[in-house]
Amino acid sequence: MSTPVGPYSPAMRAGPWLVTSGQIGVRPGPDGPALAEGGFAAQARQALKNVADILAGRGLAWANVVKVTVYLADMGDYAALNEIYLSQIGDDRPARSVVGVDALPLGALVEVEVWAYAG
């Protein structure tokens, strides 16, 4: 799981729900969190992996996710996002929104947050 880049929890349980904070494509590094090298695709894969790690750490998986929100610094990456997203989440198809934004933490190109039913 990635290390938060700010003063927040990676996820919080609220009743039967697990709500994640937005996950960007960072990996832990010797000097603190660093964005995955390799541009949008590498960051998107890492962001989705960070979400999957948070879910797994709480006994959940993509099958438990009911809502995904993705923030893109460039909506031109939308098609690439779809390909990477499908390869990472498998056959699960939660509801999803994709929002174009001006900027993300650390200059990230993508951020992903989810709501998962933890029953």
Side-chain angles (χ1 to χ4, degrees), residues 69-91:
T69 305
V70 180
Y71 302 93
L72 294 179
D74 180 352
M75 287 300 285
D77 289 324
Y78 186 82
L81 167 70
N82 284 337
E83 289 181 32
I84 294 163
Y85 183 83
L86 289 172
S87 73
Q88 297 291 308
I89 68 166
D91 292 330

PDB file of all heavy atoms in Angstrom, residues 69-91:
ATOM      1  N   THR A  69     -14.534   6.720  -8.452  1.00  0.00           N
ATOM      2  CA  THR A  69     -14.376   8.044  -9.037  1.00  0.00           C
ATOM      3  C   THR A  69     -12.922   8.172  -9.464  1.00  0.00           C
ATOM      4  O   THR A  69     -12.017   7.896  -8.675  1.00  0.00           O
ATOM      5  CB  THR A  69     -14.741   9.168  -8.048  1.00  0.00           C
ATOM      6  OG1 THR A  69     -16.070   8.949  -7.569  1.00  0.00           O
ATOM      7  CG2 THR A  69     -14.674  10.529  -8.723  1.00  0.00           C
ATOM      8  N   VAL A  70     -12.725   8.546 -10.717  1.00  0.00           N
ATOM      9  CA  VAL A  70     -11.390   8.723 -11.273  1.00  0.00           C
ATOM     10  C   VAL A  70     -11.234  10.191 -11.658  1.00  0.00           C
ATOM     11  O   VAL A  70     -12.115  10.761 -12.313  1.00  0.00           O
ATOM     12  CB  VAL A  70     -11.169   7.837 -12.516  1.00  0.00           C
ATOM     13  CG1 VAL A  70      -9.773   8.041 -13.093  1.00  0.00           C
ATOM     14  CG2 VAL A  70     -11.409   6.364 -12.196  1.00  0.00           C
ATOM     15  N   TYR A  71     -10.124  10.771 -11.265  1.00  0.00           N
ATOM     16  CA  TYR A  71      -9.800  12.147 -11.619  1.00  0.00           C
ATOM     17  C   TYR A  71      -8.627  12.110 -12.598  1.00  0.00           C
ATOM     18  O   TYR A  71      -7.605  11.479 -12.312  1.00  0.00           O
ATOM     19  CB  TYR A  71      -9.419  12.949 -10.373  1.00  0.00           C
ATOM     20  CG  TYR A  71     -10.516  12.962  -9.338  1.00  0.00           C
ATOM     21  CD1 TYR A  71     -10.537  12.014  -8.316  1.00  0.00           C
ATOM     22  CD2 TYR A  71     -11.550  13.891  -9.404  1.00  0.00           C
ATOM     23  CE1 TYR A  71     -11.563  12.007  -7.378  1.00  0.00           C
ATOM     24  CE2 TYR A  71     -12.573  13.891  -8.470  1.00  0.00           C
ATOM     25  CZ  TYR A  71     -12.573  12.943  -7.467  1.00  0.00           C
ATOM     26  OH  TYR A  71     -13.589  12.936  -6.542  1.00  0.00           O
ATOM     27  N   LEU A  72      -8.793  12.757 -13.753  1.00  0.00           N
ATOM     28  CA  LEU A  72      -7.749  12.792 -14.777  1.00  0.00           C
ATOM     29  C   LEU A  72      -7.256  14.217 -14.972  1.00  0.00           C
ATOM     30  O   LEU A  72      -8.054  15.138 -15.123  1.00  0.00           O
ATOM     31  CB  LEU A  72      -8.281  12.284 -16.121  1.00  0.00           C
ATOM     32  CG  LEU A  72      -8.686  10.818 -16.212  1.00  0.00           C
ATOM     33  CD1 LEU A  72      -9.205  10.519 -17.618  1.00  0.00           C
ATOM     34  CD2 LEU A  72      -7.520   9.909 -15.868  1.00  0.00           C
ATOM     35  N   ALA A  73      -5.936  14.379 -15.006  1.00  0.00           N
ATOM     36  CA  ALA A  73      -5.359  15.679 -15.298  1.00  0.00           C
ATOM     37  C   ALA A  73      -5.501  16.020 -16.779  1.00  0.00           C
ATOM     38  O   ALA A  73      -5.441  17.183 -17.157  1.00  0.00           O
ATOM     39  CB  ALA A  73      -3.887  15.710 -14.878  1.00  0.00           C
ATOM     40  N   ASP A  74      -5.729  15.006 -17.609  1.00  0.00           N
ATOM     41  CA  ASP A  74      -5.900  15.207 -19.049  1.00  0.00           C
ATOM     42  C   ASP A  74      -6.962  14.228 -19.542  1.00  0.00           C
ATOM     43  O   ASP A  74      -6.729  13.021 -19.569  1.00  0.00           O
ATOM     44  CB  ASP A  74      -4.576  14.969 -19.774  1.00  0.00           C
ATOM     45  CG  ASP A  74      -4.655  15.161 -21.276  1.00  0.00           C
ATOM     46  OD1 ASP A  74      -5.772  15.344 -21.829  1.00  0.00           O
ATOM     47  OD2 ASP A  74      -3.590  15.118 -21.920  1.00  0.00           O
ATOM     48  N   MET A  75      -8.122  14.755 -19.936  1.00  0.00           N
ATOM     49  CA  MET A  75      -9.202  13.871 -20.413  1.00  0.00           C
ATOM     50  C   MET A  75      -8.817  13.139 -21.699  1.00  0.00           C
ATOM     51  O   MET A  75      -9.463  12.174 -22.081  1.00  0.00           O
ATOM     52  CB  MET A  75     -10.500  14.662 -20.608  1.00  0.00           C
ATOM     53  CG  MET A  75     -11.177  15.057 -19.297  1.00  0.00           C
ATOM     54  SD  MET A  75     -11.639  13.653 -18.245  1.00  0.00           S
ATOM     55  CE  MET A  75     -13.077  13.051 -19.122  1.00  0.00           C
ATOM     56  N   GLY A  76      -7.739  13.548 -22.321  1.00  0.00           N
ATOM     57  CA  GLY A  76      -7.218  12.821 -23.475  1.00  0.00           C
ATOM     58  C   GLY A  76      -6.737  11.423 -23.102  1.00  0.00           C
ATOM     59  O   GLY A  76      -6.541  10.579 -23.978  1.00  0.00           O
ATOM     60  N   ASP A  77      -6.551  11.165 -21.801  1.00  0.00           N
ATOM     61  CA  ASP A  77      -6.125   9.844 -21.328  1.00  0.00           C
ATOM     62  C   ASP A  77      -7.309   8.904 -21.065  1.00  0.00           C
ATOM     63  O   ASP A  77      -7.118   7.785 -20.589  1.00  0.00           O
ATOM     64  CB  ASP A  77      -5.300   9.987 -20.033  1.00  0.00           C
ATOM     65  CG  ASP A  77      -3.938  10.587 -20.293  1.00  0.00           C
ATOM     66  OD1 ASP A  77      -3.340  10.295 -21.348  1.00  0.00           O
ATOM     67  OD2 ASP A  77      -3.461  11.358 -19.438  1.00  0.00           O
ATOM     68  N   TYR A  78      -8.515   9.341 -21.383  1.00  0.00           N
ATOM     69  CA  TYR A  78      -9.720   8.563 -21.067  1.00  0.00           C
ATOM     70  C   TYR A  78      -9.698   7.159 -21.705  1.00  0.00           C
ATOM     71  O   TYR A  78      -9.980   6.172 -21.037  1.00  0.00           O
ATOM     72  CB  TYR A  78     -10.961   9.337 -21.518  1.00  0.00           C
ATOM     73  CG  TYR A  78     -12.262   8.695 -21.110  1.00  0.00           C
ATOM     74  CD1 TYR A  78     -12.774   8.870 -19.836  1.00  0.00           C
ATOM     75  CD2 TYR A  78     -12.984   7.908 -22.006  1.00  0.00           C
ATOM     76  CE1 TYR A  78     -13.969   8.290 -19.452  1.00  0.00           C
ATOM     77  CE2 TYR A  78     -14.178   7.316 -21.632  1.00  0.00           C
ATOM     78  CZ  TYR A  78     -14.665   7.513 -20.362  1.00  0.00           C
ATOM     79  OH  TYR A  78     -15.851   6.927 -19.994  1.00  0.00           O
ATOM     80  N   ALA A  79      -9.375   7.055 -22.975  1.00  0.00           N
ATOM     81  CA  ALA A  79      -9.351   5.744 -23.649  1.00  0.00           C
ATOM     82  C   ALA A  79      -8.292   4.836 -23.030  1.00  0.00           C
ATOM     83  O   ALA A  79      -8.541   3.645 -22.791  1.00  0.00           O
ATOM     84  CB  ALA A  79      -9.117   5.913 -25.144  1.00  0.00           C
ATOM     85  N   ALA A  80      -7.121   5.385 -22.755  1.00  0.00           N
ATOM     86  CA  ALA A  80      -6.058   4.591 -22.114  1.00  0.00           C
ATOM     87  C   ALA A  80      -6.506   4.143 -20.732  1.00  0.00           C
ATOM     88  O   ALA A  80      -6.250   2.999 -20.326  1.00  0.00           O
ATOM     89  CB  ALA A  80      -4.768   5.391 -22.031  1.00  0.00           C
ATOM     90  N   LEU A  81      -7.177   5.040 -20.009  1.00  0.00           N
ATOM     91  CA  LEU A  81      -7.705   4.670 -18.696  1.00  0.00           C
ATOM     92  C   LEU A  81      -8.616   3.460 -18.803  1.00  0.00           C
ATOM     93  O   LEU A  81      -8.493   2.516 -18.025  1.00  0.00           O
ATOM     94  CB  LEU A  81      -8.475   5.842 -18.079  1.00  0.00           C
ATOM     95  CG  LEU A  81      -9.320   5.478 -16.851  1.00  0.00           C
ATOM     96  CD1 LEU A  81      -8.433   5.142 -15.664  1.00  0.00           C
ATOM     97  CD2 LEU A  81     -10.304   6.575 -16.531  1.00  0.00           C
ATOM     98  N   ASN A  82      -9.530   3.474 -19.758  1.00  0.00           N
ATOM     99  CA  ASN A  82     -10.472   2.362 -19.898  1.00  0.00           C
ATOM    100  C   ASN A  82      -9.760   1.032 -20.115  1.00  0.00           C
ATOM    101  O   ASN A  82     -10.126   0.025 -19.514  1.00  0.00           O
ATOM    102  CB  ASN A  82     -11.455   2.629 -21.034  1.00  0.00           C
ATOM    103  CG  ASN A  82     -12.510   3.639 -20.649  1.00  0.00           C
ATOM    104  OD1 ASN A  82     -12.797   3.834 -19.470  1.00  0.00           O
ATOM    105  ND2 ASN A  82     -13.075   4.297 -21.641  1.00  0.00           N
ATOM    106  N   GLU A  83      -8.747   1.017 -20.964  1.00  0.00           N
ATOM    107  CA  GLU A  83      -7.996  -0.222 -21.213  1.00  0.00           C
ATOM    108  C   GLU A  83      -7.302  -0.718 -19.950  1.00  0.00           C
ATOM    109  O   GLU A  83      -7.376  -1.899 -19.610  1.00  0.00           O
ATOM    110  CB  GLU A  83      -6.969  -0.006 -22.321  1.00  0.00           C
ATOM    111  CG  GLU A  83      -7.568   0.144 -23.694  1.00  0.00           C
ATOM    112  CD  GLU A  83      -6.501   0.330 -24.756  1.00  0.00           C
ATOM    113  OE1 GLU A  83      -5.392  -0.220 -24.607  1.00  0.00           O
ATOM    114  OE2 GLU A  83      -6.788   1.044 -25.740  1.00  0.00           O
ATOM    115  N   ILE A  84      -6.622   0.174 -19.254  1.00  0.00           N
ATOM    116  CA  ILE A  84      -5.896  -0.191 -18.030  1.00  0.00           C
ATOM    117  C   ILE A  84      -6.875  -0.614 -16.949  1.00  0.00           C
ATOM    118  O   ILE A  84      -6.666  -1.619 -16.261  1.00  0.00           O
ATOM    119  CB  ILE A  84      -5.007   0.975 -17.575  1.00  0.00           C
ATOM    120  CG1 ILE A  84      -3.910   1.221 -18.612  1.00  0.00           C
ATOM    121  CG2 ILE A  84      -4.430   0.719 -16.194  1.00  0.00           C
ATOM    122  CD1 ILE A  84      -3.234   2.565 -18.505  1.00  0.00           C
ATOM    123  N   TYR A  85      -7.946   0.131 -16.799  1.00  0.00           N
ATOM    124  CA  TYR A  85      -8.977  -0.142 -15.794  1.00  0.00           C
ATOM    125  C   TYR A  85      -9.529  -1.559 -15.978  1.00  0.00           C
ATOM    126  O   TYR A  85      -9.597  -2.337 -15.032  1.00  0.00           O
ATOM    127  CB  TYR A  85     -10.066   0.913 -15.960  1.00  0.00           C
ATOM    128  CG  TYR A  85     -11.214   0.874 -14.984  1.00  0.00           C
ATOM    129  CD1 TYR A  85     -11.110   1.465 -13.738  1.00  0.00           C
ATOM    130  CD2 TYR A  85     -12.423   0.290 -15.341  1.00  0.00           C
ATOM    131  CE1 TYR A  85     -12.181   1.471 -12.851  1.00  0.00           C
ATOM    132  CE2 TYR A  85     -13.500   0.299 -14.468  1.00  0.00           C
ATOM    133  CZ  TYR A  85     -13.371   0.886 -13.230  1.00  0.00           C
ATOM    134  OH  TYR A  85     -14.439   0.886 -12.372  1.00  0.00           O
ATOM    135  N   LEU A  86      -9.911  -1.894 -17.206  1.00  0.00           N
ATOM    136  CA  LEU A  86     -10.461  -3.232 -17.462  1.00  0.00           C
ATOM    137  C   LEU A  86      -9.445  -4.328 -17.179  1.00  0.00           C
ATOM    138  O   LEU A  86      -9.794  -5.382 -16.647  1.00  0.00           O
ATOM    139  CB  LEU A  86     -10.965  -3.328 -18.900  1.00  0.00           C
ATOM    140  CG  LEU A  86     -12.234  -2.544 -19.191  1.00  0.00           C
ATOM    141  CD1 LEU A  86     -12.539  -2.559 -20.691  1.00  0.00           C
ATOM    142  CD2 LEU A  86     -13.401  -3.086 -18.392  1.00  0.00           C
ATOM    143  N   SER A  87      -8.176  -4.075 -17.504  1.00  0.00           N
ATOM    144  CA  SER A  87      -7.152  -5.100 -17.260  1.00  0.00           C
ATOM    145  C   SER A  87      -6.893  -5.294 -15.771  1.00  0.00           C
ATOM    146  O   SER A  87      -6.472  -6.366 -15.347  1.00  0.00           O
ATOM    147  CB  SER A  87      -5.853  -4.748 -17.985  1.00  0.00           C
ATOM    148  OG  SER A  87      -5.185  -3.675 -17.353  1.00  0.00           O
ATOM    149  N   GLN A  88      -7.148  -4.264 -14.972  1.00  0.00           N
ATOM    150  CA  GLN A  88      -6.874  -4.338 -13.539  1.00  0.00           C
ATOM    151  C   GLN A  88      -8.043  -4.854 -12.717  1.00  0.00           C
ATOM    152  O   GLN A  88      -7.839  -5.573 -11.741  1.00  0.00           O
ATOM    153  CB  GLN A  88      -6.473  -2.954 -13.009  1.00  0.00           C
ATOM    154  CG  GLN A  88      -5.204  -2.413 -13.615  1.00  0.00           C
ATOM    155  CD  GLN A  88      -3.981  -3.168 -13.185  1.00  0.00           C
ATOM    156  OE1 GLN A  88      -3.744  -3.366 -12.007  1.00  0.00           O
ATOM    157  NE2 GLN A  88      -3.191  -3.618 -14.138  1.00  0.00           N
ATOM    158  N   ILE A  89      -9.277  -4.474 -13.078  1.00  0.00           N
ATOM    159  CA  ILE A  89     -10.405  -4.834 -12.223  1.00  0.00           C
ATOM    160  C   ILE A  89     -11.105  -6.112 -12.660  1.00  0.00           C
ATOM    161  O   ILE A  89     -11.963  -6.618 -11.950  1.00  0.00           O
ATOM    162  CB  ILE A  89     -11.436  -3.690 -12.096  1.00  0.00           C
ATOM    163  CG1 ILE A  89     -12.156  -3.451 -13.410  1.00  0.00           C
ATOM    164  CG2 ILE A  89     -10.779  -2.427 -11.581  1.00  0.00           C
ATOM    165  CD1 ILE A  89     -13.392  -2.597 -13.266  1.00  0.00           C
ATOM    166  N   GLY A  90     -10.774  -6.641 -13.821  1.00  0.00           N
ATOM    167  CA  GLY A  90     -11.393  -7.889 -14.270  1.00  0.00           C
ATOM    168  C   GLY A  90     -12.838  -7.691 -14.692  1.00  0.00           C
ATOM    169  O   GLY A  90     -13.186  -6.689 -15.305  1.00  0.00           O
ATOM    170  N   ASP A  91     -13.679  -8.646 -14.327  1.00  0.00           N
ATOM    171  CA  ASP A  91     -15.070  -8.630 -14.774  1.00  0.00           C
ATOM    172  C   ASP A  91     -15.984  -7.780 -13.901  1.00  0.00           C
ATOM    173  O   ASP A  91     -17.166  -7.652 -14.203  1.00  0.00           O
ATOM    174  CB  ASP A  91     -15.617 -10.058 -14.830  1.00  0.00           C
ATOM    175  CG  ASP A  91     -14.949 -10.871 -15.925  1.00  0.00           C
ATOM    176  OD1 ASP A  91     -14.541 -10.270 -16.936  1.00  0.00           O
ATOM    177  OD2 ASP A  91     -14.832 -12.101 -15.766  1.00  0.00           O
TER     178      ASP A  91
END
